[in-house]
Coordinates of all heavy atoms in Angstrom, one line a residue:
P158 N -93.1 -21.0 135.0 CA -94.1 -21.4 136.0 C -93.5 -21.4 137.5 O -94.2 -21.1 138.4 CB -94.6 -22.8 135.6 CG -93.5 -23.3 134.7 CD -93.0 -22.1 134.0
H159 N -92.2 -21.7 137.5 CA -91.6 -21.8 138.9 C -91.3 -20.3 139.4 O -91.7 -20.0 140.5 CB -90.2 -22.5 138.8 CG -90.4 -24.0 138.5 ND1 -90.8 -24.9 139.4 CD2 -90.3 -24.7 137.3 CE1 -90.9 -26.1 138.9 NE2 -90.6 -26.0 137.6
S162 N -94.7 -18.5 139.8 CA -95.4 -18.9 141.1 C -94.6 -18.3 142.3 O -95.3 -17.8 143.3 CB -95.4 -20.4 141.2 OG -96.2 -21.0 140.2
A163 N -93.3 -18.3 142.3 CA -92.5 -17.7 143.4 C -92.8 -16.3 143.6 O -93.0 -15.8 144.7 CB -91.0 -18.0 143.2
V166 N -96.3 -15.8 145.1 CA -96.2 -16.1 146.5 C -95.7 -14.8 147.3 O -96.2 -14.5 148.3 CB -95.3 -17.3 146.8 CG1 -95.0 -17.4 148.3 CG2 -96.0 -18.6 146.3
R209 N -100.9 -29.4 135.9 CA -100.8 -28.4 136.9 C -100.0 -27.2 136.4 O -99.0 -27.4 135.8 CB -100.1 -29.1 138.2 CG -100.1 -28.1 139.4 CD -99.7 -28.7 140.6 NE -99.5 -27.7 141.7 CZ -100.5 -27.4 142.5 NH1 -101.7 -28.0 142.4 NH2 -100.4 -26.5 143.4
R210 N -100.5 -26.0 136.8 CA -99.9 -24.8 136.3 C -99.2 -24.0 137.4 O -98.4 -23.1 137.1 CB -100.9 -24.0 135.5 CG -101.3 -24.7 134.2 CD -102.6 -24.1 133.7 NE -102.9 -24.6 132.4 CZ -103.5 -25.8 132.1 NH1 -103.9 -26.5 133.2 NH2 -103.7 -26.2 130.9
T211 N -99.6 -24.2 138.6 CA -99.0 -23.5 139.7 C -98.0 -24.4 140.4 O -98.0 -25.6 140.2 CB -100.1 -22.9 140.6 OG1 -100.8 -24.0 141.2 CG2 -101.0 -22.1 139.9
R212 N -97.3 -23.8 141.4 CA -96.3 -24.6 142.1 C -96.5 -24.3 143.6 O -97.1 -23.3 144.0 CB -94.9 -24.2 141.7 CG -94.5 -24.4 140.2 CD -94.5 -25.8 139.8 NE -94.1 -26.1 138.5 CZ -94.9 -26.2 137.4 NH1 -96.2 -26.1 137.6 NH2 -94.4 -26.4 136.2
A213 N -96.0 -25.2 144.4 CA -96.1 -25.1 145.9 C -95.4 -23.7 146.3 O -94.5 -23.4 145.6 CB -95.4 -26.3 146.6
P214 N -95.9 -23.1 147.3 CA -96.9 -23.5 148.3 C -98.4 -23.3 147.9 O -99.2 -23.1 148.9 CB -96.5 -22.8 149.5 CG -96.0 -21.4 149.0 CD -95.3 -21.8 147.7
F215 N -98.7 -23.2 146.7 CA -100.1 -23.1 146.3 C -100.8 -24.5 146.5 O -100.1 -25.5 146.2 CB -100.3 -22.6 144.9 CG -100.0 -21.1 144.8 CD1 -98.8 -20.7 144.2 CD2 -100.9 -20.1 145.2 CE1 -98.5 -19.4 144.1 CE2 -100.6 -18.8 145.1 CZ -99.4 -18.4 144.6
G216 N -102.0 -24.5 146.9 CA -102.7 -25.7 147.2 C -103.3 -26.3 145.9 O -102.9 -26.0 144.8
E218 N -105.4 -27.1 142.8 CA -106.0 -26.3 141.8 C -107.5 -26.6 141.5 O -107.9 -27.8 141.5 CB -105.2 -26.4 140.5 CG -103.8 -25.9 140.5 CD -103.1 -26.0 139.2 OE1 -103.7 -26.5 138.2 OE2 -102.0 -25.5 139.1
A287 N -105.2 -21.5 146.0 CA -105.0 -20.6 147.2 C -103.6 -20.9 147.8 O -103.1 -22.0 147.8 CB -106.1 -20.8 148.3
L288 N -103.0 -19.8 148.4 CA -101.8 -19.9 149.0 C -101.9 -20.7 150.4 O -102.7 -20.3 151.2 CB -101.2 -18.5 149.3 CG -99.7 -18.4 149.7 CD1 -98.8 -19.0 148.7 CD2 -99.4 -16.9 149.8
V289 N -101.2 -21.7 150.6 CA -101.3 -22.5 151.8 C -100.2 -22.1 152.7 O -99.0 -22.0 152.4 CB -101.2 -24.0 151.4 CG1 -101.2 -24.9 152.7 CG2 -102.3 -24.5 150.5

Side-chain angles (χ1 to χ4, degrees):
H159 295 280
S162 292
V166 169
R209 185 171 176 91
R210 292 166 173 81
T211 62
R212 300 293 184 267
F215 289 102
E218 293 183 355
L288 193 57
V289 178

